[in-house]
Structures are given as structure tokens and as C-alpha cells.
Amino acid sequence: MVSLAAVVATPTTVLAATSTIGRTWPIAEPDALSEIEGQALRVPDMTTAFGPRGRWSAMKAASLGIARADRTRTVVPFYILDQDIRLPEGKLLYAKGFSFNPLAYVSLPQRLIVVHPRDLPWALRTARPADFILLAAGEPGDADAITLGERHGRAMFLLEERVKARLGLTVAPVIIAQEGQKLVLTEVGVIEADGAKAMRKAPR
């Protein structure tokens, strides 16, 4: 006779391992992880297909000059509508040509720090955790934004031509921050001394 204590002490995993309740069928669907891994292996290598990333048109950054002196200026990024904005029923809400300042409605929570690749160490020292680092076009042989981001463990962004034009950028390094309904652009000058470049301390 099996005692109650012996039944209670029996691990449920042992009972489950030796018992089958109802009919069973093998799993017909493929393993999801195996499917993902298989699809990933079939994706062509981008470098093989399109050449080195440095030659991709999508990896081309806008060019900027070098800031030779400290300078601060302000920009109001007015936007002009290039088409009419209408309500669903057709009523005109804003006409083409209407101008407004987006900063009157939204806030830029982080600064934008624009540098050439050679000044990236300075940008990494200067940037706050939430700041965006944008790379202007560098010299031939400079690492691309993806490689630099992987190397430093921080996302890097390319400076696009439309952003350059929108903000009126001409030189780098420059720190862009919102103050009220305008953007303050702080250009940080570079001092050439005995062939060695020294960067002025930027505001934090």
C-alpha cells in the first residue's frame, strides 16, 4: 500500500515525464528562430553587392568649412508651405506660401553637434547623452558613420544637404540648441599651433 506521504513527495515532473494524456502530433510548423536565421543567410552582403560603404550615395554627407573662430549666431527656421493644406471636406486651412516657425509649436529636447570626422573625439567629450552627433563630409579614407558609431558605441548621423540648408550651416564644429523660438548656433573655432590642432572648449 502506497502511503499518502509517498504520493505527496513524488515530484510532479517525474509523473509528467511518464504520462501522456490525449493524442499527440509532431509539430508541423518550422521553428521561428530557424526561419529568421535562414532568411538572414540568404540576404546578399551589401558590401559585395554595392562596394565599400564609403562609395554609397546614401552615405555621402554635406560638406562644411572649418570654423576658424568662435562665433554665435541665431536662426529662426521658418517653413514655407509648398502646397495648400485642406481639411477632409476640402475647406482651405493654410494656403500655399504660408510661413510659420515650427519652434513655436515644438521643442528640440537635445542639441545637435555637427563636426567633421577628424573632430569626433572632441564631439564625444562635449556631447551630452541625449545630444545628436552629425558628421559633415570628411577627408578621403575617413571611416563612415556606421563604422564610427560601432567603434564608439554611440549612434552617428550624417549631415544631409537639406539640413545644412535649413539651418544655414557653413562651418563646423558647431553646436545647435534651441532657445525659445529660435536656434542658437555656436561655432567653435580651431587654433592651428605648430602644426597641431587644438579645439577651444565648447559650452556644455
Side-chain angles (χ1 to χ4, degrees), residues 74-97:
T74 60
V75 171
V76 179
F78 285 111
Y79 184 79
I80 301 175
L81 293 180
D82 58 3
Q83 60 183 352
D84 292 340
I85 303 296
R86 296 181 179 275
L87 295 174
E89 62 272 18
K91 180 181 178 180
L92 181 64
L93 186 61
Y94 295 106
K96 177 181 178 180

Side-chain angles (χ1 to χ4, degrees), residues 113-134:
I113 299 182
V114 184
V115 293
H116 298 100
R118 66 178 186 175
D119 295 324
L120 183 55
W122 171 85
L124 292 169
R125 294 193 306 270
T126 303
R128 302 166 184 162
D131 290 343
F132 287 177
I133 297 177
L134 281 67

